[in-house]
Amino acid sequence: MGSITELPISTTTLLDDAPMITGAVRMEHRRAGATATAAEITSALSAAQSASRPLALEAQAVPFAPVSTTDSLHITGPRSATLTKNSAAIGIEVAPTAVALGTATTGGSLTTIPISGASFTVNEHAGKVIDIDNSLGNPQTRWVLSNDATTLTLYEELDEVPADGEAVQIYTPIDEVILDGFTLSGGSLGSAGVVIRKTRRVILRNLHVLSNGGNGISIYDSGSPVAGEGGGVHVENCVSDGNNFGIFVYNCDNAVVIGGRYANSTGTSGYNAQLKDCRNSSMIGTRVSGGAHGANSKSSGLNPTRNVAMIGVTADGCAKSGIYAHALTNEGGTHIGINYTIEGTRATNCQTGLLLSQPDVGTFVGCHISNHASYNNSGIGLALQAPGWTWSNLSAERSGDLGCEVARRTRGAGMTLTNNNYSGSAGPEFKIDNDNTVEDCLIEGLIVEHTDATSASTYAFLEASGNDNNFIRHPRIYDDISGLASTWEGNFVFNGS
């Protein structure tokens, strides 16, 4: 039989290869062959939370009754401590309780919400989180900066000014969630592995989340922007495999995903790793592979989105895109992607290596990509289909289709296209797409070499009719098939070739 032992607060204990935890509540199973039951794990977790201490898991595989809590949570253990869900519910869910605050009244703005009949104490709601729907039915979730007797002032602008009578819900955010070192297996059952909502500080380290019907790790509306709180989202060296999305970080402040491996997303359009509508956030040195999409930064139009970076990320074997950034207005119409950065990334064996897109009228402003390499992708190496981006030092080699396709205005310097169209299909190395009127492109320092000679219709450049005022300066063309290296259509201006 297993039992629960509460360690003295002064004790520091090493559990197998788990981190050293001071004052942990731990599971004791010393009799040979004994394993914890799901009920014992639940009881131990409750004891740990009541004592405001971590739960330290032992190195064993145990059944696990999914946990939903409204309190701070700290679970630690070695990787060999495997919790396997015994139902299709979310494995670990942490979320605060909603409280009806009242209804919005007239006279508000994108950053202020007057509440009908309110009589608040000044700043009693500062540092809390509110939800209020926009006209599309999507929740506008914002942190409260301050309040006076009747009105909330928000840290970030809403998508829409609230309508008179719109219900407002308020939450006291969770202080902290730490999940460290153990494995959570969904056993191929439905729902997500880990879901964390409206939490000031999230720390996930060396966590392995496997085989869930929903997302592996989802973090929503977290990372307090309140000065001095030390808020943020820190995800380091975690692993997700065989989940709908690998890791999904949404509408968070100060989020960083460092290292780790996110693989084999199962959703038809699933992302292995996605930062959506985040601020001052980054993905650094992360590896993504398999599944539909690799690593992604997205602006939905609903929430402020700025200063988002993907640095040193590598993608391999993704069925759709490897490295992907896109801006939409399908959830809200106000906000745009500002100051996105993609640097030092690489995509191999995907369909599209690098994809920058603007599927509707979503917008990017002040974004830049540098030092990206696409290699051996089955479709397009570099798909530059969104305005608002500049670039430098891009390369595409052995793309099955185009080396680079431009479908919106782009400006940059330093692009090398080598041996693309290797599948033998007819087409150019570099193309300005005829699906859009593309104007005022400036490409400097373009190098095209080793254009595939297996097709007599393969050539260096193509510009479709209807485009205007596009410049390629100082192009260099090497080792292309005779007579076709400088074939182009439309009205490119070549300078210094």
Side-chain angles (χ1 to χ4, degrees):
M1 292 290 294
S3 62
I4 302 169
T5 300
E6 185 174 300
L7 303 181
I9 195 66
S10 60
T11 302
T12 300
T13 305
L14 181 65
L15 303 182
D16 301 303
D17 56 330
M20 296 184 74
I21 300 297
T22 299
V25 171
R26 61 178 283 184
M27 300 297 300
E28 288 280 5
H29 296 284
R30 294 305 182 196
R31 186 164 61 85
T35 58
T37 66
E40 286 172 333
I41 291 288
T42 301
S43 177
L45 181 57
S46 178
Q49 287 185 289
S50 296
S52 298
R53 298 178 181 178
L55 171 65
L57 302 171
E58 297 236 346
Q60 56 182 263
V62 296
F64 176 63
V67 169
S68 180
T69 181
T70 59
D71 295 322
S72 293
L73 182 68
H74 186 171
I75 303 176
T76 186
R79 181 180 174 184
S80 53
T82 301
L83 301 179
T84 301
K85 292 194 309 188
N86 64 6
S87 77
I90 296 169
I92 296 173
E93 182 176 21
V94 186
T97 301
V99 175
L101 185 66
T103 58
T105 188
T106 56
S109 69
L110 291 176
T111 55
T112 59
I113 306 176
I115 303 298
S116 178
S119 181
F120 302 136
T121 300
V122 173
N123 288 338
E124 68 172 291
H125 296 305
K128 296 183 181 180
V129 183
I130 61 102
D131 275 347
I132 185 167
D133 287 351
N134 70 0
S135 59
L136 297 175
N138 296 313
Q140 303 178 89
T141 302
R142 301 292 186 268
W143 290 74
V144 178
L145 173 64
S146 62
N147 68 269
D148 60 18
T150 61
T151 301
L152 305 176
T153 299
L154 309 177
Y155 271 92
E156 300 286 351
E157 288 188 350
L158 296 163
D159 176 52
E160 297 174 346
V161 176
D164 186 29
E166 189 78 31
V168 180
Q169 304 229 40
I170 195 161
Y171 306 78
T172 299
I174 304 293
D175 282 330
E176 183 176 71
V177 173
I178 300 176
L179 304 178
D180 188 359
F182 62 96
T183 298
L184 174 62
S185 173
S188 298
L189 297 174
S191 297
V194 175
V195 175
I196 300 168
R197 300 180 187 274
K198 299 176 175 67
T199 298
R200 290 190 173 96
R201 182 166 52 253
V202 177
I203 300 173
L204 308 183
R205 292 183 296 239
N206 304 309
L207 179 69
H208 289 60
V209 184
L210 314 174
S211 304
N212 290 274
N215 295 348
I217 300 167
S218 293
I219 305 170
Y220 297 88
D221 310 314
S222 294
S224 169
V226 179
E229 280 198 348
V233 175
H234 185 96
V235 181
E236 185 172 1
N237 294 331
C238 293
V239 171
S240 172
D241 200 328
N243 303 294
N244 181 52
F245 281 29
I247 182 168
F248 175 60
V249 183
Y250 173 73
N251 193 29
C252 290
D253 290 274
N254 308 313
V256 59
V257 178
I258 300 175
R261 180 176 61 84
Y262 302 90
N264 303 314
S265 60
T266 57
T268 303
S269 296
Y271 298 91
N272 284 309
Q274 185 180 56
L275 299 176
K276 178 181 175 182
D277 291 1
C278 291
R279 295 160 294 282
N280 304 318
S281 298
S282 58
M283 193 183 304
I284 303 172
T286 303
R287 293 178 295 154
V288 292
S289 61
H293 295 286
N296 173 255
S297 297
K298 178 181 179 181
S299 169
S300 75
L302 177 63
N303 304 297
T305 309
R306 61 182 180 271
N307 304 333
V308 178
M310 291 190 285
I311 300 172
V313 176
T314 59
D316 182 72
C318 301
K320 294 185 177 180
S321 65
I323 306 296
Y324 182 20
H326 64 308
L328 296 163
T329 56
N330 62 326
E331 296 177 25
T334 298
H335 298 289
I336 61 178
I338 301 173
N339 195 29
Y340 278 40
T341 299
I342 300 175
E343 182 176 350
T345 53
R346 181 175 174 84
T348 58
N349 304 310
C350 303
Q351 181 184 54
T352 301
L354 167 68
L355 175 59
L356 309 178
S357 78
Q358 180 192 25
D360 52 25
V361 294
T363 304
F364 287 111
V365 171
C367 302
H368 186 73
I369 179 168
S370 61
N371 302 311
H372 169 85
S374 288
Y375 179 80
N376 204 45
N377 297 287
S378 62
I380 301 172
L382 308 170
L384 309 181
Q385 299 175 356
W389 287 80
T390 59
W391 50 264
S392 59
N393 301 323
L394 308 184
S395 68
E397 183 175 356
R398 284 191 58 79
S399 304
D401 198 346
L402 307 173
C404 177
E405 179 182 56
V406 175
R408 298 274 197 255
R409 184 180 63 190
T410 185
R411 289 175 176 261
M415 179 186 294
T416 301
L417 307 177
T418 304
N419 197 27
N420 296 290
N421 275 308
Y422 72 83
S423 62
S425 60
E429 289 263 5
F430 180 93
K431 176 184 178 183
I432 288 191
D433 189 11
N434 61 355
D435 291 338
N436 301 279
T437 299
V438 182
E439 298 181 341
D440 299 321
C441 290
L442 175 60
I443 315 295
E444 297 192 67
L446 174 65
I447 298 173
V448 180
E449 56 187 356
H450 307 301
T451 299
D452 187 359
T454 61
S455 170
S457 298
T458 299
Y459 44 92
F461 306 104
L462 168 67
E463 181 185 42
S465 60
N467 301 319
D468 193 22
N469 199 32
N470 298 306
F471 291 84
I472 293 183
R473 293 180 177 170
H474 308 290
R476 288 181 286 170
I477 306 167
Y478 302 100
D479 300 333
D480 291 279
I481 56 179
S482 60
L484 295 176
S486 58
T487 298
W488 66 88
E489 299 177 6
N491 50 9
F492 272 120
V493 175
F494 289 90
N495 179 8
S497 58

